[in-house]
Amino acid sequence: MKRRDIIVVGASAGGLGALQTFIGGLPHDLAAAVFVVLHIGARRSAASAILNSSGPLPVAKAVDGGEIRNGHIHVAPPDYHLLLEPGCMRLTRGPRENRTRPAVDPLFRTAAEAYGSRVVGIIMSGTLSDGTAGFSAIRRCGGVTVVQDPDEAEYPGMPRNALRYVGADHCLPVAAIPDLVVRLSGGCPAETSKGAKEHSERLREPEKDDEVTGKYEMNQPVALTCPSCGGSLKETMVGQSPYYTCHIGHRFAIADMDAGQVEKLEESFEIALRTLNERAGLCRRMAEMALSNGHTLSSQRWDDARAEAEEKANVLKRFLEHDWISQPSAEDAW
């Protein structure tokens, strides 16, 4: 069996502890290079320093153009995607994928393209679906896919969605993954674990004919728009899961698309609430000025406009103060 010496790992919520366990189980003479994406966004992070004290292998932030060397672990820095090319790492501030940068999918996808069957992809604790499309690329290029057992993951969404939509070669407790990596990197065959599963569901909406009535109508949209930039989105299927990509490169798994829409709705409502509050203040001021100048009727109209703005603002406040109904989580839908 061919040696698998490019190990790519993705994790999100609850993933730091899982990564500490994984790195702590790797030997000092590992015959593979390890690359990690943890969802840290743009904020400063001590993840690489924390992980550096977790095991015998050196852990450092990835460096653009850095050499790929066995026995070293590199972590994507804040606000940069970590990509792999033949012989080196690359960092880029390209479009966010699944609402985050760094994201797991770009690492997995570029590793598969550059190193093919030499790649082992591992998904650990996290929510939603980042890494699922990358898993599909790794499997398509002959690599090996591994998920942390969702039943032990603090947040099982990422491993469960990978299993559900693409499948995995191995599904293991995180403490058992280092031994598997050692066997794979040494060229020793490893049987598919019993927990690895494949499951598929197609999420489709029936199409409806549009009607033009001259009024606001909530008809089925022709296309969805990007929650990040407002551009139109193209739907593609990765395994059995829909993915949405806009024309400048923002990319969303279906669960991340749902979360992005909710985030954009809240942002839009907050802008509307702010504007209504400002309008109420302006109308109040105009009413006071009209009254002081003896224009009673004009003052009353401005006061009515103020009351209208405050009433509509209160309606929006009730929307914002309640949670949104989102799609079932992976664990609920499993």
Side-chain angles (χ1 to χ4, degrees):
M1 179 174 139
K2 189 170 184 177
R3 174 178 290 178
R4 320 280 187 168
D5 58 352
I6 301 293
I7 315 300
V8 290
V9 187
S12 185
L16 185 59
L19 285 167
Q20 288 178 288
T21 300
F22 168 69
I23 290 172
L26 295 173
H28 72 278
D29 57 350
L30 180 69
V34 181
F35 304 89
V36 176
V37 165
L38 180 64
H39 286 172
I40 54 177
R43 67 184 185 275
R44 293 179 63 182
S45 172
S48 57
I50 293 170
L51 296 175
N52 191 47
S53 62
S54 299
L57 295 178
V59 180
K61 289 182 182 177
V63 177
D64 187 49
E67 182 184 358
I68 293 176
R69 293 185 293 168
N70 287 351
H72 288 73
I73 301 173
H74 296 279
V75 180
D79 209 27
Y80 283 87
H81 291 312
L82 171 57
L83 314 179
L84 296 187
E85 294 181 355
C88 71
M89 298 171 272
R90 289 295 179 195
L91 299 179
T92 173
R93 296 192 72 252
R96 289 176 177 83
E97 297 198 20
N98 298 317
R99 304 166 53 243
T100 186
R101 185 175 57 221
V104 179
D105 276 339
L107 172 62
F108 283 14
R109 187 170 60 244
T110 56
E113 291 169 356
Y115 292 97
S117 61
R118 293 169 59 183
V119 176
V120 178
I122 303 169
I123 292 179
M124 296 183 181
S125 176
T127 63
L128 302 178
S129 300
D130 194 23
T132 297
F135 248 27
S136 180
I138 290 171
R139 300 193 88 189
R140 185 172 62 250
C141 293
V144 175
T145 52
V146 184
V147 295
Q148 178 184 3
D149 186 344
D151 291 336
E152 74 147 25
E154 186 174 350
Y155 292 87
M158 278 173 52
R160 274 198 171 145
N161 277 320
L163 284 169
R164 180 183 185 188
Y165 291 115
V166 178
D169 298 304
H170 304 273
C171 177
L172 299 168
V174 70
I177 297 177
D179 286 342
L180 173 65
V181 167
V182 170
R183 295 200 304 274
L184 291 172
S185 63
C188 300
E191 295 181 359
T192 299
S193 61
K194 294 181 180 178
K197 296 167 274 187
E198 293 191 34
H199 181 70
S200 64
E201 286 187 4
R202 301 186 72 85
L203 304 176
R204 296 289 183 186
E205 290 278 347
E207 294 185 1
K208 298 179 182 178
D209 293 330
D210 291 336
E211 296 179 1
V212 179
T213 64
K215 302 177 182 179
Y216 282 111
E217 294 287 343
M218 304 301 286
N219 294 316
Q220 183 73 17
V222 174
L224 299 177
T225 56
C226 176
S228 294
C229 70
S232 58
L233 291 166
K234 176 179 67 175
E235 180 181 306
T236 56
M237 296 297 293
V238 177
Q240 300 295 331
S241 178
Y243 269 73
Y244 301 92
T245 308
C246 78
H247 49 81
I248 67 170
H250 295 119
R251 198 161 188 258
F252 304 86
I254 191 166
D256 296 272
M257 181 68 183
D258 170 71
Q261 286 182 332
V262 169
E263 188 177 85
K264 185 58 67 175
L265 281 167
E266 290 187 345
E267 178 185 322
S268 299
F269 277 9
E270 287 170 353
I271 291 171
L273 183 61
R274 183 204 70 205
T275 306
L276 284 167
N277 193 46
E278 291 172 352
R279 174 165 174 74
L282 176 65
C283 291
R284 183 181 298 106
R285 178 63 175 145
M286 295 298 291
E288 292 170 352
M289 290 175 59
L291 188 61
S292 67
N293 291 325
H295 302 303
T296 306
L297 183 58
S298 178
S299 176
Q300 183 59 53
R301 287 175 176 170
W302 281 115
D303 197 52
D304 289 343
R306 172 202 55 77
E308 178 189 53
E310 290 178 347
E311 179 184 358
K312 291 183 176 179
N314 286 329
V315 172
L316 278 180
K317 282 172 64 178
R318 288 197 294 272
F319 276 109
L320 286 167
E321 288 167 355
H322 289 81
D323 289 335
W324 296 87
I325 298 173
S326 60
Q327 69 167 34
S329 64
E331 50 267 38
D332 293 334
W334 186 247

